[in-house]
Every structure is written in structure tokens, then in C-alpha cells.
Amino acid sequence: MTAYIGILEKEPGTLWGLWFPDLPGCIAAGDSADETLAQGAEALAQWSALAREDGAVLPAPRSIEVLRSDPDVAGALAAGHVAVAVRPPADDLGLDDAQLHAVDRAAERRGLTRSGLVRALVLDEIAG
């Protein structure tokens, strides 16, 4: 599964924040660094799902070396913020984004959700 680099930061008097340079608008916040990282994984999952629903292909994550050459990210790192690799929560299917998109299209054609399609196919296989 793909991991994206997030910038974990905390300014005095604020919550912890996490933002993803490769995924504009994908952010998380929390009272602790650990809580924020957990929220970040969920934010990634939601951002990815919405992007797929819109028919978008997720951008490939850039390496930390490439991100360091991005002025916005380099500035955050120079300010002492931490770069972390975050993965969205693993789906139980172990499928990549393209495969999940194909499953979602098949489910939509049948008027089902992804989990509804998988459930129906599994039950059919077990009963068959």
C-alpha cells in the first residue's frame, strides 16, 4: 500500500497538525502527536475515497528527497517540523488503488457499495 509523506507540526498554544504536500486539502489535527497521526491515516482514507468517487487518480507520493526541494515543504522542515510516512488504514482486501476503483465500478453497476459487492460475492462462493 502507498505511503504519503505528511508534515507533523505543533505551534505553541495550538493543536498538533498534519498536512500532506501531495494531497491538497488532506489534513488532520489532534491533541497529541499520536492522535494526530491516527487521524491522518483516516483523513488519507477519506481523501482517497472521495478522489476515487470523483474519478481522479491518486497522485504518486513524492519521496522525502523530492519534497525537500519543494519550497513549501522545505520551509516547514527548516522550521523544525517533522516529516512522517503515513498509510491510510489497510482495506481488508489488500488491493491497490486501481483494483479498488475497478471493484467500486463493478459495485456501482450492480447498485451496491464496495462492501455489499464483496459480501454478495463471498456469500455466493460459499453457498456455491
Side-chain angles (χ1 to χ4, degrees):
M1 181 172 282
T2 303
Y4 287 90
I5 300 294
I7 305 299
L8 182 64
E9 54 191 5
K10 171 126 176 51
E11 300 294 333
T14 67
L15 295 172
W16 283 89
L18 180 65
W19 55 280
F20 298 89
D22 292 325
L23 306 171
C26 185
I27 60 171
D31 291 323
S32 69
D34 288 341
E35 177 186 347
T36 304
L37 290 171
Q39 299 255 355
E42 183 60 31
L44 272 174
Q46 291 175 358
W47 197 98
S48 302
L50 289 172
R52 280 194 297 273
E53 284 177 16
D54 290 341
V57 176
L58 296 180
R62 293 179 285 171
S63 69
I64 188 67
E65 292 78 18
V66 171
L67 287 171
R68 283 188 178 126
S69 67
D70 179 324
D72 293 327
V73 179
L77 294 174
H81 303 306
V82 177
V84 294
V86 180
R87 288 181 168 81
D91 64 52
D92 294 334
L93 302 174
L95 302 174
D96 65 28
D97 288 335
Q99 293 166 328
L100 285 173
H101 189 64
V103 170
D104 290 342
R105 286 192 317 267
E108 187 176 318
R109 285 191 304 270
R110 292 169 176 84
L112 298 170
T113 62
R114 179 189 303 162
S115 59
L117 175 64
V118 171
R119 184 179 314 105
L121 293 172
V122 168
L123 292 174
D124 283 349
E125 181 64 26
I126 291 170

